[in-house]
Amino acid sequence: MEYDEKKALDKVNHVDQERSSPIQDYYDEDLTEPRQEESLHRGLKARQISMIALGGAVGTGLIIGSGTALRRGGPLGLLLGYSFVGFVCYLVMVSLGEMAAFLPHKKGFAGYATRFVDPALGFALGWNYLLKYLIVTPNNINAAGVVVQYWTRSVHIAVWMVIFISFIFFVNLLGVRVFGELEFWFSSIKVIALVGLLLMGIIIDLGGNPKHDRIGFRYWRAPDGPMGKYLLAQVKNESLSIFLGFWATLTNALFAYIGTELIGVTVGEAENPRKNIPAAIRRTFWRILIFYVGGVFVIGLIVPSTDDSLFVATKSKTGAAASPFVVATTLVGIKALNHVINSAILIFVMSAANSDLYIGSRTLYGLAIEGKAPAIFKRVNRMGVPYPALFLCTAFCGLVFLNVSSSSAKVFGWFVNLVSTFGALTWMCILYCHIAFMKALKAQGMSRDDLPYKAPFQPWGSWFALGSTIIITLFKGFDTFIPWTADNFVTSYIAIPIFLLLWAGYKLVYKSSVIPADKVDLVTGLRAIDEEEEKYLADEAKKGPQSKLRKIWESL
C-alpha cells in the first residue's frame, strides 16, 4: 500500500487540507536524505536482498557452533533453545520490517533511534553496531583461515588472512551491484549445502548409511538422554546442571541468529524497498524454521550429545572436523564427505565476511551522514561506494592477526563473546525503537493498518522480545564464574559499559532528550522516498512485460 504523505502531514501538523505546501511547515533538514553526490545507489534487487538476508543469518553459529550447544544442552535442550531464540529473532525482524518499509532511509538503525527515540540512542546504537562489525569481520576471516588449514598447513595462516581480506575488500570496492550478485550466488550455494546436509542427516537417521543402522530417536534416550548436564562437576546438582545446559543453548543460539537484522542496513541500497523489504522479512520465518530449527533437530538425531568426539570437534582447530555434521558421518562410517563439507564451510564464512564488511562500511557511512562520525566517511565514489568507510573497516580486519600469538580457537572465542553482546544490544535498540514508533503513530492519530507493512504479534511482541533479549544478555556469561576466567568475563560484558558510555557521553555533551511521542517526526523525507519509488516503477513499466522465465528468476 502506498503511503499517503499528504494525509500524514495533515495529521501531524494539523494543517488545513487546502494549504498548498504543508511540507514547508514540517521539515527537518537533519532528517533528510544525503545529496546525490554523497548518496548510496539503490542497486540491490529483490532476489539479492532476499539472499543477503539469508547469507547474514546462516553461518558458523549453526554449522559449527551448534555442536557446542548439543554437548551442553542435549538434543531436546538444543531444539528448545534454538526455537525460543528463533522466535525472538523473528519478532525483531518483523519490528524492523515495519519501520524499514515505512521509512527505507539510508542511515541504518541509528537513523530510526535518532528519529523515533533520542539522538543519544542513535549515536550509541550506531557506534555499537559499527563496533560489532569491526570485530565480526575479522572473526569470520579467522574462521576461514582455520578452515583452509584442514587441507594444508604448509602456507602460514597469515598469508591466507591477507588473501581473504584482499578478496572481500575488492568485491566491496566494485560497487553494490557486483557485491549483490556475488553475495546472491554465495548464499545460493549456502542454501543448497544446507538442504543437502539436512537431507543427509535425515537419510543417516533412517538407516541410509554404510552400517544400515536405523538410529531414530535413540540418542534422546538413556544413556545419552534428551537434556545435557553442563558443569555438573562444579555445581554438583543434576537438576541445576540440566538447567545450565539449556541456558547455554540460549546464549549459543543468540550468537547463531545475530546478523539476521543486517537487512535493515540494505534498505538504503534496495530497489523498490517498500515491496522488497517486507517480502524478505516475511521469508525470515521459514528460514528460521527450516534451516535453524530443522538443522539442530537433525543434528540432535544423528549425533549423541555425550560423544567425546563431538566435544573435541567443537574445540577443533580444523574446519570440517569442527562441524557436528562431520561427527555424524564419521560415526556411521562415511569419510568421503569431509572435503565437501569443508568447502561448504569455507563458502559460509567468506560470504559472512563479505557481507560483514559491507554492513560495517554502510553503518559508518550512516553515522557520518547524521553528523555522528567524521564527515570524510560520507564520501562515495561514482559507483556509490563509501570508500573512506570501506578503507577503515578493512583496516580493522588486521585484528585477525591476533591468532599469530594466540590460538585461533581462543581468539574465535573472544570474538564470539564480543559479537554476541554487541548484537544483542542492537536487537534491544531495534525493539525499543519500534515500541516508540508504535507509540508515535498512536499519539499522532495514524493507524498501523495504513503502513506498507504491518508487523504481526504487536505491540506485545516487541516487549516480549525486548525482555527476553535483556535477560539472556545479562546472564550469557554465567559460566565465566564457574570457574572464574577473567578474559571471557571481560569479552562477555565489556560491550554493555561501552554502550552506556556512548549514550551518556552524547547526552552530556549535546544535552539531548527523549522525543515525546506526539513530537516524533513521521513526515520528513517520505515524499522523496515516494518519488524515488514512483520513478523506479515507471522505469520498470517502460521495460514491458516480463517473460515467465524472468518472473520465476526474480521471484527467487
Side-chain angles (χ1 to χ4, degrees):
M1 182 184 298
E2 184 176 350
Y3 186 78
D4 188 344
E5 185 184 1
K6 178 66 168 65
K7 182 178 177 181
L9 285 164
D10 291 336
K11 286 184 177 181
V12 174
N13 298 297
H14 306 289
V15 296
D16 189 90
Q17 291 284 350
E18 300 300 321
R19 294 182 70 168
S20 59
S21 302
I23 192 71
Q24 295 176 1
D25 296 327
Y26 201 85
Y27 177 82
D28 189 341
E29 184 177 356
D30 292 336
L31 297 179
T32 57
E33 293 289 87
R35 300 192 307 269
Q36 182 64 34
E37 63 271 19
E38 295 179 344
S39 181
L40 305 175
H41 295 180
R42 292 196 181 275
L44 288 177
K45 302 183 183 299
R47 61 182 174 83
Q48 294 170 341
I49 293 170
S50 181
M51 279 299 180
I52 289 171
L54 175 61
V58 180
T60 55
L62 173 62
I63 201 166
I64 297 178
S66 54
T68 302
L70 176 62
R71 177 71 180 184
R72 294 174 177 175
L76 179 58
L78 176 68
L79 179 62
L80 292 175
Y82 271 71
S83 298
F84 179 81
V85 180
F87 180 59
V88 171
C89 177
Y90 177 69
L91 293 175
V92 173
M93 291 302 294
V94 297
S95 300
L96 175 60
E98 185 167 287
M99 295 186 293
F102 173 77
L103 185 69
H105 64 198
K106 302 179 180 181
K107 300 176 182 178
F109 307 127
Y112 297 125
T114 297
R115 187 165 183 146
F116 301 145
V117 184
D118 181 357
L121 184 65
F123 177 80
L125 171 57
W127 280 97
N128 171 83
Y129 203 59
L130 175 62
L131 288 171
K132 176 204 165 186
Y133 277 95
L134 292 179
I135 294 168
V136 75
T137 308
N139 183 41
N140 279 307
I141 294 292
N142 178 54
V146 169
V147 169
V148 171
Q149 284 188 318
Y150 176 77
W151 288 305
T152 178
R153 290 180 177 269
S154 59
V155 179
H156 196 278
I157 191 171
V159 176
W160 291 115
M161 301 296 99
V162 173
I163 293 172
F164 294 145
I165 292 171
S166 301
F167 173 74
I168 63 172
F169 169 73
F170 284 110
V171 168
N172 276 267
L173 191 62
L174 291 174
V176 68
R177 293 186 182 276
V178 174
F179 164 82
E181 196 63 33
L182 183 64
E183 196 59 29
F184 171 80
W185 289 108
F186 266 170
S187 295
S188 298
I189 295 172
K190 275 189 182 184
V191 171
I192 294 170
L194 280 170
V195 170
L197 289 172
L198 292 179
L199 290 175
M200 179 193 74
I202 294 170
I203 293 169
I204 287 174
D205 183 68
L206 295 177
N209 56 71
K211 294 183 178 181
H212 304 291
D213 181 16
R214 186 182 178 91
I215 301 170
F217 282 85
R218 181 189 308 161
Y219 299 141
W220 288 53
R221 298 188 294 269
D224 303 300
M227 302 296 290
K229 297 178 180 64
Y230 184 43
L231 299 175
L232 179 60
Q234 286 79 11
V235 299
K236 296 179 173 51
N237 183 299
E238 185 172 324
S239 298
L240 179 58
S241 70
I242 290 174
F243 173 76
L244 293 179
F246 167 70
W247 194 264
T249 67
L250 295 181
T251 60
N252 186 274
L254 180 66
F255 170 72
Y257 285 110
I258 289 296
T260 312
E261 76 290 333
L262 66 81
I263 194 172
V265 182
T266 68
V267 298
E269 295 177 270
E271 293 180 346
N272 197 14
R274 287 195 172 143
K275 176 184 176 183
N276 294 333
I277 295 300
I281 295 290
R282 290 188 190 101
R283 294 172 187 147
T284 299
F285 173 80
W286 297 108
R287 292 181 185 125
I288 291 172
L289 182 65
I290 295 172
F291 293 122
Y292 278 99
V293 178
V296 297
F297 175 68
V298 169
I299 288 170
L301 290 177
I302 59 179
V303 182
S305 60
T306 55
D307 192 283
D308 289 338
S309 61
L310 178 66
F311 181 78
V312 173
T314 60
K315 302 294 184 181
S316 177
K317 296 184 179 182
T318 55
S323 174
F325 288 103
V326 172
V327 177
T329 59
T330 302
L331 288 174
V332 294
I334 303 174
K335 299 179 180 179
L337 289 177
N338 287 17
H339 294 291
V340 175
I341 296 175
N342 203 56
S343 300
I345 295 173
L346 181 60
I347 292 174
F348 272 45
V349 295
M350 285 305 298
S351 170
N354 191 38
S355 60
D356 291 342
L357 186 60
Y358 165 84
I359 297 299
S361 61
R362 269 49 176 189
T363 301
L364 181 54
Y365 165 83
L367 285 168
I369 288 297
E370 284 199 300
K372 295 182 171 71
I376 189 175
F377 295 116
K378 64 182 180 181
R379 293 182 183 176
V380 299
N381 62 18
R382 60 184 179 83
M383 293 178 288
V385 178
Y387 61 95
L390 179 61
F391 287 146
L392 181 67
C393 292
T394 304
F396 268 83
C397 290
L399 287 172
V400 75
F401 294 108
L402 285 171
N403 64 18
V404 174
S405 59
S406 297
S407 73
S408 297
K410 190 171 185 178
V411 172
F412 185 84
W414 293 340
F415 286 167
V416 165
N417 287 337
L418 288 166
V419 168
S420 297
T421 312
F422 281 128
L425 288 167
T426 300
W427 281 15
M428 294 178 209
C429 291
I430 290 172
L431 293 163
Y432 190 72
C433 289
H434 184 243
I435 292 168
F437 173 65
M438 291 188 291
K439 288 181 177 178
L441 290 173
K442 184 177 181 180
Q444 298 179 27
M446 299 169 67
S447 173
R448 291 178 59 240
D449 293 329
D450 296 329
L451 298 177
Y453 171 69
K454 182 181 178 182
F457 306 114
Q458 301 301 337
W460 68 266
S462 289
W463 283 109
F464 174 79
L466 178 61
S468 300
T469 308
I470 289 173
I471 293 171
I472 294 172
T473 304
L474 288 178
F475 296 98
K476 67 182 289 291
F478 72 91
D479 50 359
T480 63
F481 297 92
I482 320 171
W484 168 255
T485 49
D487 56 346
N488 285 337
F489 173 79
V490 171
T491 53
S492 291
Y493 291 108
I494 190 65
I496 296 175
I498 289 176
F499 180 86
L500 293 175
L501 284 172
L502 289 168
W503 171 78
Y506 189 94
K507 290 191 78 70
L508 287 173
V509 173
Y510 294 97
K511 312 296 182 186
S512 68
S513 58
V514 176
I515 306 169
D518 60 340
K519 300 295 183 183
V520 170
D521 186 347
L522 297 173
V523 173
T524 302
L526 291 181
R527 179 168 297 170
I529 293 169
D530 286 337
E531 291 173 352
E532 199 173 52
E533 185 177 25
E534 289 172 6
K535 181 180 182 300
Y536 169 80
L537 294 175
D539 291 341
E540 289 296 300
K542 290 177 183 178
K543 297 178 182 178
Q546 292 181 331
S547 64
K548 289 185 179 180
L549 184 62
R550 185 67 181 177
K551 287 180 179 178
I552 294 172
W553 175 252
E554 290 297 333
S555 70
L556 294 175

